[in-house]
Amino acid sequence: MTYFTEETSEQVVTARLDKCESERFKAVMSSAIKHLHGFVKDVQPTMDEWFAAIQFLTKTGQICDDKRQEWILASDTLGVSMLVDAINHRRPDGATENTVLGPFYVENRPHREMGDNICLDGKGAPCLVDGIVTDEQGVPLKGAVVDVWQTNDDGFYSVQQPDEQPDHNMRGVFTTAADGRYWFTTVKPLPYSIPTDGPVGKMLEMMGRHPMRPAHIHFIVSAPGYETLVTHIFVKGDPYLESDAVFGVKESLIVNFEHEGAGWKAKFPVKLKKKA
Ligand code: BEZ
Ligand code: FE
């Protein structure tokens, strides 16, 4: 019998998985135990530090509700969401790249007519966004669904200000015709801060990091027979492109927003990958 000691800890805890029926779960838990024990041996936390870690985990769970997801924020700000996303969406050269979903996507967004304005509060610099949804060879896709959302000009998503913003402000779903084209009116996005009033905000502050995301518009683009693409476009020249709080920026997603009349315009062609 091997009893638990500092030296045998990983071996002893892993041995208790011997009756685990799922091979996958067993592999996942073995790896979790290996890395957790390695982490604790590396850090050698004091009892106070370990209790502070438990308090962080507790508060992160307690602040979550159906509108606030602090765990996603924790995963995003530590680069874990982007890593899981990268592992699960390896795309061939040429297909549009994905990035994080973020915690402010909502179900039941309104379907809108092509060209409609998603900005319902009248604030901000008008901007026309247009593009064409194609397959990897450039063939236009009919019936592709382009689902977009962004913050308003004050830097908040509609779900963060349900009493201040019109319902579904800055959100819309558009469906392409046979030419694959889509276009909608919005406002030029601005950089904004992720929520900092919870434990993740405190963690960033203690790490000496800022909470800003570069200006972006979120997209989910789907079409029958193709892998659904979750992505953003970022505004070229934004001061936070190289230090996004959630590591979401990819070079191919940086778009030139150009002046047009009194407003702005941006082009975002989307190439979807065929389902395997
Ligand atoms: C967002 O862009 O909506 C977002 C993504 C990750 C964390 C917080 C916000
Ligand atoms: Fe966002």
Side-chain angles (χ1 to χ4, degrees):
M1 168 71 198
T2 307
Y3 284 100
F4 190 106
T5 67
E6 194 174 326
E7 289 71 32
T8 64
S9 71
E10 181 196 331
Q11 179 200 338
V12 169
V13 178
T14 308
R16 299 276 174 100
L17 287 168
D18 59 344
K19 293 193 184 60
C20 177
E21 282 177 9
S22 159
E23 281 308 311
R24 175 67 178 159
F25 191 61
K26 191 172 184 173
V28 169
M29 289 313 294
S30 298
S31 179
I33 292 161
K34 173 174 150 192
H35 290 285
L36 272 170
H37 284 238
F39 169 72
V40 171
K41 285 173 188 178
D42 184 33
V43 172
Q44 309 225 345
T46 64
M47 296 311 280
D48 283 349
E49 285 172 338
W50 186 240
F51 187 61
I54 298 289
Q55 277 183 311
F56 171 81
L57 299 172
T58 305
K59 284 184 188 151
T60 299
Q62 283 170 338
I63 202 172
C64 290
D65 59 26
D66 58 340
K67 301 220 164 52
R68 176 76 182 257
Q69 234 308 346
E70 196 77 357
W71 278 113
I72 295 185
L73 217 50
S75 159
D76 292 343
T77 51
L78 291 172
V80 177
S81 303
M82 278 301 282
L83 183 56
V84 173
D85 195 45
I87 289 167
N88 281 281
H89 298 101
R90 295 180 182 124
R91 290 185 195 279
D93 284 349
T96 303
E97 291 196 280
N98 48 283
T99 188
V100 276
L101 175 68
F104 298 116
Y105 176 69
V106 297
E107 305 284 343
N108 308 322
R109 306 80 53 216
H111 286 257
R112 301 194 194 276
E113 293 299 315
M114 210 54 94
D116 273 0
N117 195 349
I118 62 168
C119 173
L120 308 179
D121 63 10
K123 298 179 190 174
C127 180
L128 180 73
V129 180
D130 81 312
I132 177 165
V133 183
T134 67
D135 68 7
E136 286 160 67
Q137 282 70 45
V139 177
L141 295 179
K142 181 183 174 197
V145 175
V146 180
D147 187 347
V148 296
W149 70 104
Q150 68 177 84
T151 51
N152 76 348
D153 210 51
D154 298 326
F156 294 101
Y157 287 94
S158 53
V159 283
Q160 293 176 287
Q161 296 187 312
D163 301 329
E164 288 157 62
Q165 294 192 33
D167 275 354
H168 305 300
N169 192 29
M170 314 304 302
R171 294 176 194 272
V173 179
F174 302 86
T175 304
T176 62
D179 60 3
R181 288 195 60 220
Y182 74 86
W183 65 100
F184 62 92
T185 310
T186 181
V187 294
K188 189 177 180 225
L190 296 172
Y192 68 87
S193 170
I194 63 170
T196 55
D197 56 342
V200 171
K202 181 83 187 139
M203 176 186 79
L204 289 181
E205 192 187 314
M206 286 183 73
M207 287 197 287
R209 284 173 52 184
H210 71 68
M212 298 300 292
R213 294 217 64 203
H216 59 271
I217 303 175
H218 293 260
F219 282 72
I220 298 181
V221 185
S222 56
Y226 292 83
E227 284 190 9
T228 296
L229 172 72
V230 177
T231 197
H232 315 351
I233 55 172
F234 295 93
V235 179
K236 190 173 174 184
D238 187 283
Y240 296 106
L241 284 173
E242 290 179 7
S243 62
D244 181 2
V246 305
F247 306 95
V249 181
K250 292 181 176 175
E251 202 165 359
S252 68
L253 302 176
I254 300 173
V255 170
N256 202 8
F257 281 62
E258 291 172 17
H259 270 293
E260 168 137 296
W264 296 85
K265 66 173 183 181
K267 271 203 177 315
F268 183 47
V270 174
K271 273 188 200 269
L272 294 183
K273 179 185 170 189
K274 228 180 168 49
K275 271 190 186 150

